[in-house]
Amino acid sequence: MALLGLIASLVLASPSAACACKCVPFTLATGVQNPVIFSGTVTTSRLSGNRVVVTLAVDRVYKGKPGRTARVTTATESAACGFSFAKDRRYLVFATEQDGLLATTSCAGTRRIKPGPGLVPAGAAFGDPFREQELLAALGPAASGTERPETPAKPTSSTERPAEMATTSPVAASSGTGTTPAVVGGAALLLALGLLLVLRLRRNRSE
């Protein structure tokens, strides 16, 4: 009787064992084959049948175009290679495109990372940890760069203009079409001195 119970338990356990998720060892060379790679923080999570859909605020894009807000789906069960996301946690996501959404698995290389710059693992990660420079080197020309919003250019005030713009040269000032009061006054003075000189010369001749 005990033998029959043991056999029955093995038969019942065999389907779940057959359905267990089996991953090949992750390497960057295989990870960068995914069409979308980015880092971001989970903001929301919801169930959709046997899938979980999480929304992440993207802070760095390495490949593809996930947008500033990415929706990623994964299986709910770890036996189906589902990845466990947690709200307010930051992740490096390796994803494929599936039915208009991004999809990832526990075998894809997706991992939790620490907040802030870089790709420092937070806890156990699938596969060996790697640095951001190594990921970029593996991506090569396929690297997308950052998708953070650019800082708008600061308007240049009058006090911050270059010296050649703020200072008017004497040549430029004197080349205008109008005659300045200083020029008029100087010409009148020269004319008066000239007249006085002519009158003095005439007086000397008459004497």
Side-chain angles (χ1 to χ4, degrees), residues 3-187:
L3 179 61
L4 290 176
L6 177 61
I7 294 173
S9 63
L10 291 175
V11 171
L12 291 175
S14 59
S16 59
C19 294
C21 178
K22 295 181 180 180
C23 301
V24 297
F26 173 83
T27 64
L28 271 178
T30 57
V32 296
Q33 300 303 316
N34 287 280
V36 179
I37 305 172
F38 67 93
S39 61
T41 303
V42 175
T43 57
T44 62
S45 176
R46 65 179 177 84
L47 287 175
S48 179
N50 61 348
R51 309 284 294 178
V52 178
V53 181
V54 295
T55 303
L56 297 97
V58 177
D59 59 63
R60 184 79 161 87
V61 177
Y62 295 96
K63 185 179 179 182
K65 296 181 178 180
R68 298 184 184 279
T69 302
R71 290 194 302 163
V72 180
T73 179
T74 190
T76 56
E77 299 293 334
S78 59
C81 300
F83 184 84
S84 179
F85 286 97
K87 188 178 179 182
D88 298 327
R89 301 299 185 185
R90 185 169 179 252
Y91 296 89
L92 173 65
V93 180
F94 293 84
T96 58
E97 295 173 330
Q98 179 180 322
D99 300 328
L101 293 175
L102 300 177
T104 193
T105 68
S106 58
C107 299
T110 296
R111 61 195 63 200
R112 181 183 161 192
I113 54 178
K114 292 183 178 180
L119 303 175
V120 181
F126 177 68
D128 296 330
F130 50 83
R131 295 178 300 173
E132 186 175 48
Q133 291 82 354
E134 295 175 290
L135 175 59
L136 293 173
L139 284 168
S144 297
T146 182
E147 213 180 67
R148 295 170 181 164
E150 297 181 357
T151 304
K154 182 180 179 181
T156 304
S157 64
S158 57
T159 58
E160 296 176 342
R161 292 178 182 174
E164 61 271 17
M165 295 177 61
T167 305
T168 305
S169 65
V171 176
S174 62
S175 61
T177 56
T179 304
T180 63
V183 174
V184 175

